[in-house]
Amino acid sequence: MKSIWMLGASALLLAACSGGTEAPTETVEAETPPPVEVEAAAPVSLADIVAGDWRSDAEKARDVWRNPAETLAFFEIEPDDTVVEIWPGGGWYTNVIAPYLATGEGQFIAAVWDVNVFEGDRKARIEQRIADYQAVYEADPDTFGTLAYSAFSAQSGALAEPGTVDAVLTFRNVHNWMGGDYTAKFFTDAYAALKPGGIVGVVEHRLPSSAEQDPRAASGYVHEDFVKALAAAAGLKFVESSEINANPADTADHPFGVWTLPPVSATSDREGNTPEGFDAAAYAAIGESDRMTLKFMKPLETVE
């Protein structure tokens, strides 16, 4: 057995030595390919959203008067903001704001009419309008994101959880609230909803300072100073105004108030009366109303 082991060991030794004269194999490391540079997609701008194909031609035709991209930029709206729009109506501004927020994981909150303040047929009509509005946006979450809802009226509760909102916006609604005597509530509700540093943006038909203000704003026109005073009373700081939506051709003294002008273009009052010599073409030539565009801020340091 010992001799067999020795023979085996000798064979193994010979086998190991037999390859000793061969040149060692050179190991070649594979080169690492350079990283592929992927160009980051450009952020979606407000101008891109305004040009979106989900907006109708009729909506886009009003951009010259309503200037949505410039107005929202003035109000400092960013894609990751939480924004409340008060009384969005048929969704003209919703069709710009909601898609913009959807690009940056922001949140759009529609503060719709408070159905609890209506009764009978009118309540049913308002409920249907809200349902129609919701159906449009629920049908296309890829474009509009997922909307949240609250309500606003003289009796309504909070617009949102206190201190959670980046901006509260209203477009041509102040005169409506003056008729119901709850304009001040809008500013106090907005203040409560905003984060410190949050923005309140107001666009409203502008009454010349030389004209007398109707407390109920029956003409649809409102003094800038009236709006500023109510905002200040609620604790908001006036930041600045813009002439983005100004129209110097609007004298604000029309027979059917602001509704004499486009887009309503009224030609008679509620009783069907039309003044002698009324020239609808002249009012159409003026275009849409002269509008104030005001920006307010909840102070960074607040006393609750």
Side-chain angles (χ1 to χ4, degrees):
M1 292 294 292
K2 184 175 179 180
S3 61
I4 294 174
W5 178 87
M6 292 178 66
L7 288 172
S10 299
L12 288 172
L13 180 63
L14 289 172
C17 294
S18 65
T21 58
E22 294 181 5
T25 302
E26 183 178 356
T27 302
V28 178
E29 295 184 1
E31 294 185 4
T32 303
V36 177
E37 294 185 4
V38 179
E39 186 175 348
V44 177
S45 69
L46 281 166
D48 295 329
I49 297 296
V50 168
D53 59 10
W54 59 87
R55 299 185 70 224
S56 69
D57 290 342
E59 287 176 318
K60 292 177 179 179
R62 296 189 67 192
D63 290 349
V64 66
W65 302 110
R66 303 189 71 176
N67 306 291
E70 296 85 351
T71 299
L72 295 174
F74 176 71
F75 291 150
E76 304 178 37
I77 304 304
E78 298 292 344
D80 59 351
D81 282 348
T82 296
V83 178
V84 177
E85 182 187 358
I86 309 293
W87 287 8
W92 196 96
Y93 251 109
T94 304
N95 286 344
V96 179
I97 303 171
Y100 187 55
L101 299 182
T103 69
E105 299 184 354
Q107 177 66 68
F108 181 88
I109 303 174
V112 298
W113 302 278
D114 184 357
V115 297
N116 295 318
V117 304
F118 302 104
E119 296 180 351
D121 291 344
R122 190 176 185 192
K123 181 176 182 178
R125 290 196 300 271
I126 296 297
E127 287 176 332
Q128 186 60 58
R129 289 180 67 181
I130 294 172
D132 292 343
Y133 173 89
Q134 293 175 327
V136 169
Y137 302 106
E138 290 174 0
D140 191 1
D142 289 340
T143 298
F144 301 110
T146 302
L147 275 62
Y149 296 90
S150 63
F152 178 68
S153 74
Q155 295 84 31
S156 61
L159 295 173
E161 288 294 320
T164 63
V165 171
D166 296 289
V168 178
L169 308 180
T170 178
F171 303 96
R172 304 172 334 281
N173 280 314
V174 173
H175 62 279
N176 292 314
W177 305 330
M178 290 172 68
D181 196 25
Y182 56 99
T183 314
K185 184 177 185 295
F186 161 71
F187 290 101
T188 57
D189 286 3
Y191 182 95
L194 286 172
K195 303 172 183 177
I199 297 297
V200 172
V202 177
V203 177
E204 180 56 282
H205 311 296
R206 178 164 48 193
L207 184 68
S209 58
S210 58
E212 183 178 355
Q213 177 71 70
D214 173 5
R216 300 184 68 82
S219 70
Y221 289 96
V222 181
H223 278 156
E224 277 195 24
D225 286 346
F226 175 81
V227 176
K228 291 177 180 177
L230 287 177
L236 295 162
K237 177 184 177 181
F238 174 66
V239 180
E240 62 179 319
S241 62
S242 171
E243 294 300 291
I244 296 168
N245 298 301
N247 180 2
D250 179 15
T251 56
D253 58 354
H254 317 307
F256 315 118
V258 70
W259 301 279
T260 314
L261 301 178
V264 177
S265 299
T267 58
S268 63
D269 60 21
R270 292 183 178 181
E271 287 73 39
N273 302 311
T274 301
E276 184 177 352
F278 178 80
D279 183 2
Y283 293 105
I286 292 172
E288 296 195 17
S289 66
D290 177 48
R291 293 162 187 165
M292 67 181 88
T293 304
L294 307 178
K295 179 165 61 177
F296 304 93
M297 182 183 74
K298 182 174 182 175
L300 290 171
E301 296 182 2
T302 62
V303 178
E304 300 294 348

